[in-house]
Amino acid sequence: MMRDWPRQVLIGLVKGYRLLLSPWLGGSCRFEPTCSVYALGALQRHGALAGGYLMLRRIGRCGPWCEGGCDPVPDAAPALFSHLIPVSSEKKNPS
């Protein structure tokens, strides 16, 4: 699909990071799942816009001042993006 290319590009960038940079930087993520695994999950589940937002928010929280811990990808998109995502893709029955 043509409108899926932004998500695919971001997923490619994250996978490139995991392949090329992550081995050099070492495993220092304070979160479970790691930030790159979280980014892939967020992009796959929520698309480029909401998933990219979640990814950047997570990376912004990951630092030496953060305690970290378990932080899975949320099931629902952030409220900021709720008006952009259709509530249901089911066909409605006319009355």
Side-chain angles (χ1 to χ4, degrees):
M1 241 202 261
M2 280 304 284
R3 52 176 245 232
D4 194 39
W5 71 267
R7 180 176 71 95
Q8 294 300 327
V9 168
L10 290 172
I11 288 173
L13 290 172
V14 173
K15 287 183 176 183
Y17 162 80
R18 292 185 70 182
L19 179 68
L20 301 173
L21 291 176
S22 184
W24 290 70
L25 298 175
S28 61
C29 189
R30 299 172 184 276
F31 288 102
E32 178 60 40
T34 64
C35 290
S36 59
V37 171
Y38 180 94
L40 290 173
L43 291 167
Q44 290 169 347
R45 183 175 295 169
H46 299 296
L49 192 59
Y53 169 78
L54 289 169
M55 174 180 69
L56 292 175
R57 193 178 80 182
R58 170 58 124 39
I59 292 169
R61 290 191 327 247
C62 191
W65 57 88
C66 178
E67 193 172 307
C70 183
D71 181 29
V73 176
D75 289 330
L80 176 65
F81 298 95
S82 63
H83 70 281
L84 300 173
I85 301 169
V87 175
S88 175
S89 60
E90 298 174 0
K91 293 181 182 179
K92 296 183 179 181
N93 293 331
S95 358

